[in-house]
Amino acid sequence: MQWSLFLLILMGQCSFLVCHLYEYHFIEETKTWEEAQTYCRAHYTDLATVFDMTDMTAMKRLRGNNQSEAWIGLRNHPDAEGTWHWSLPGMEFNKSETRWAEGEPNNIKHPENCVRMDHHEWKDVPCTIENLEFICYDAKQPNEKFHLIKIKMTWPQAQNYCREHHTDLASGLQQIEDEEFKKDETQSNKSLWIGLFNDTWKWSDESNFSFRNWQRDSWSGSKECAVTKSNDKWMKRDCAKRKPFFCYEDNVILIKESKTWEEALYYCQDHYHDLVSITNLDEQRWVQERAKMANTPHVWLGLRYTCTLGFWFWISDEAVEYKNWDSPGQTDECDMSGAMDRGGQHKWFKKIDHGEFNFICSME
């Protein structure tokens, strides 16, 4: 990379403010779900997609004193094939990494949308009929990540308990294979809930976020559109009812053109703001949803290595503190930049920057 371009990046052609990758808008005018979807797509990006409780907190602030139920972008498609999700936000289900018992899942007592684990094998069962013990995961306690709860509950009750007292139900094969988890499992009464569920609910923008925040008594029901209440819990409602709603505005965009890293940088700065920076896990999860739509195996990020000074940096001037490298020990070389894997775990790869990939721009 030319020294002049390096100075351009560090000294004045980028913002020194942290960009928000998306933001919400609360619309008090009442509309049906479909009318709200049309409005959001015309004025912003789409009806609100919700990633986790941090998003719920942001939406609650926007709502202010308005106590009305409000549409979000989640709608049921009961005739579609269900999708398996992990309860913990950002934990993607990989159908090639499972522990199903022989013949499972079989949906024999339709609907069997939740999973219990017997002797480390998975079985699909009804969510609200069985009462089982369960293991919660706590992200804030690295030395005591798992907590066996010997109170028998339905799956929705267990999920609510874990979210209120810890982080979530234990989710993902890595957690379930953890030695601490297995130790708690052996102390349980044979069967346990794990954080795996199946549903036919889809987000309006077609993202695959697994976060659900149903009120306990609304887990079942025939209504096909979701609202958020003033207590942050979700209910199922008739899509034809008129309600206020939340839109979201996406501040990143995938460019499906193949360019070198430097070409991608100039394109973003000319047409939008900059190549995108990722400084925390929430931003990683938001960007990887866009990366899934790329038509190249990787997408360029605003991540660059300077061999002159010997470190990686974000072109937004953010320090590279949050990291998601595929091979952290890979040798750093001149003329290398960071690219996200389109699939898999969406890890970052160190690529020679004359390679040509799609790329993601930030818009502010």
Side-chain angles (χ1 to χ4, degrees):
M1 183 187 204
Q2 295 178 356
W3 178 249
S4 59
L5 177 58
F6 176 68
L7 290 177
L8 174 97
I9 294 171
L10 287 186
M11 295 182 60
Q13 294 297 318
C14 60
S15 170
F16 293 92
L17 299 175
V18 178
C19 295
H20 297 287
L21 300 189
Y22 59 100
E23 57 185 313
Y24 291 109
H25 301 269
F26 180 55
I27 312 300
E28 296 196 58
E29 181 181 354
T30 60
K31 295 182 181 292
T32 68
W33 190 92
E34 289 185 351
E35 290 172 345
Q37 181 190 55
T38 299
Y39 180 96
C40 290
R41 288 178 173 178
H43 294 85
Y44 301 104
T45 299
D46 214 320
L47 266 171
T49 295
V50 184
F51 177 73
D52 60 12
M53 283 306 300
T54 301
D55 286 351
M56 294 305 307
T57 300
M59 294 164 73
K60 189 170 187 177
R61 284 198 300 267
L62 284 176
R63 178 194 291 270
N65 295 324
N66 191 311
Q67 300 298 303
S68 302
E69 295 178 345
W71 294 125
I72 56 175
L74 193 62
R75 184 168 189 170
N76 195 16
H77 299 265
D79 296 328
E81 183 179 353
T83 302
W84 289 101
H85 301 282
W86 289 109
S87 179
L88 182 65
M91 188 70 69
E92 294 190 11
F93 177 74
N94 185 342
K95 62 183 180 181
S96 67
E97 297 180 350
T98 63
R99 294 293 181 269
W100 294 114
E102 186 175 355
E104 299 283 352
N106 55 28
N107 201 31
I108 196 169
K109 295 179 181 178
H110 179 79
E112 293 186 329
N113 289 333
C114 293
V115 175
R116 80 177 190 207
M117 189 166 67
D118 295 337
H119 302 298
H120 221 60
E121 289 188 327
W122 304 352
K123 298 178 180 178
D124 62 331
V125 295
C127 301
T128 56
I129 296 177
E130 299 199 30
N131 291 276
L132 302 174
E133 297 175 2
F134 52 97
I135 296 177
C136 298
Y137 167 72
D138 199 321
K140 297 179 181 178
Q141 300 185 40
N143 296 324
E144 193 178 355
K145 301 187 294 290
F146 300 103
H147 301 265
L148 173 62
I149 310 301
K150 291 192 173 184
I151 306 171
K152 292 188 176 182
M153 298 183 182
T154 65
W155 193 95
Q157 291 170 341
Q159 182 193 53
N160 277 325
Y161 181 96
C162 289
R163 287 180 172 174
E164 289 172 7
H165 297 89
H166 302 285
T167 300
D168 214 317
L169 275 167
S171 299
L173 204 60
Q174 184 175 356
Q175 289 186 16
I176 290 170
E177 296 294 340
D178 190 286
E179 291 303 318
E180 184 184 337
F181 178 95
K182 291 179 179 179
K183 182 179 178 181
D184 283 347
E185 180 192 354
T186 60
Q187 298 175 20
S188 69
N189 185 21
K190 183 184 175 182
S191 294
L192 287 168
W193 289 124
I194 59 173
L196 188 58
F197 71 97
N198 185 294
D199 73 6
T200 53
W201 289 80
K202 309 291 183 183
W203 292 105
S204 177
D205 68 354
E206 300 185 358
S207 61
N208 196 37
F209 292 147
S210 66
F211 182 69
R212 308 286 187 266
N213 200 40
W214 299 116
Q215 191 156 299
R216 291 184 185 182
D217 58 0
S218 68
W219 180 260
S220 58
S222 59
K223 307 302 183 184
E224 294 185 358
C225 289
V227 297
T228 178
K229 296 163 63 72
S230 58
N231 67 355
D232 292 339
K233 293 296 183 181
W234 302 353
M235 297 286 289
K236 301 171 183 178
R237 294 290 186 249
D238 182 345
C239 304
K241 297 295 184 182
R242 303 186 71 84
K243 298 179 183 296
F245 52 98
F246 285 96
C247 303
Y248 87 88
E249 188 170 13
D250 200 347
N251 290 327
V252 296
I253 183 170
L254 169 68
I255 307 300
K256 291 186 177 181
E257 298 181 25
S258 295
K259 295 184 181 293
T260 66
W261 186 87
E262 187 173 327
E263 290 170 345
L265 172 70
Y266 284 127
Y267 183 98
C268 289
Q269 292 180 344
D270 288 344
H271 295 86
Y272 298 100
H273 177 72
D274 232 327
L275 275 170
V276 71
S277 298
I278 300 174
T279 60
N280 56 56
L281 182 57
D282 286 345
E283 293 179 352
Q284 163 71 23
R285 290 164 175 167
W286 192 260
V287 171
Q288 71 189 34
E289 282 297 311
R290 279 67 198 153
K292 291 176 184 177
M293 307 297 180
N295 53 31
T296 55
H298 298 88
V299 293
W300 287 125
L301 307 173
L303 185 57
R304 177 69 190 178
Y305 180 73
T306 166
C307 59
T308 305
L309 301 178
F311 61 82
W312 285 87
F313 63 94
W314 291 107
I315 59 173
S316 60
D317 199 43
E318 293 291 325
V320 185
E321 294 179 350
Y322 169 76
K323 300 174 183 177
N324 195 37
W325 294 114
D326 177 70
S327 301
Q330 180 183 346
T331 303
D332 297 325
E333 300 177 9
C334 297
D335 301 319
M336 295 191 85
S337 298
M340 179 185 290
D341 191 3
R342 176 183 62 191
Q345 297 301 309
H346 309 288
K347 294 289 188 178
W348 304 347
F349 288 79
K350 302 171 182 179
K351 295 289 185 179
I352 299 299
D353 59 21
H354 56 67
E356 295 188 347
F357 301 126
N358 293 175
F359 51 99
I360 296 178
C361 301
S362 63
M363 293 190 282
E364 67 171 37

